[in-house]
Amino acid sequence: MPRYIDCCSYDDYDRVVRFLLEKRVKIIERDKMKMLVVAELPKSMEDEMSDKIKFDEVVTVGESPL
């Protein structure tokens, strides 16, 4: 199931994309202007992402975009 990752800063968006690419997570769609990434992110990796990345702003992950 695709997960929608909404970022509040371009730096956080870049960090999310870098994390997904490093972990070889399939990115379905990404839009830097909207700061939105849609990926096949397993629930277990959500916690890993938030533990490993120090975000500047709030980053939300859900089944629908904000």
Side-chain angles (χ1 to χ4, degrees):
M1 169 177 255
R3 307 292 286 170
Y4 294 84
I5 306 164
D6 291 284
C7 304
C8 293
S9 77
Y10 292 121
D11 289 339
D12 287 344
Y13 171 90
D14 292 339
R15 289 179 186 109
V16 167
V17 171
R18 185 177 310 114
F19 174 85
L20 296 174
L21 292 173
E22 287 174 356
K23 297 295 183 178
R24 300 190 188 274
V25 173
K26 182 179 178 188
I27 297 173
I28 300 168
E29 180 182 341
R30 59 184 178 175
D31 186 333
K32 191 164 187 171
M33 292 303 292
K34 293 182 181 178
M35 292 185 274
L36 174 68
V37 181
V38 182
E40 292 183 2
L41 181 69
K43 180 71 173 152
S44 59
M45 275 196 171
E46 279 183 49
D47 296 332
E48 181 182 350
M49 183 174 68
S50 56
D51 289 344
K52 289 193 174 190
I53 301 174
K54 184 176 187 270
F55 293 116
D56 294 333
E57 302 288 334
V58 175
V59 173
T60 61
V61 180
E63 296 178 4
S64 62
L66 289 179

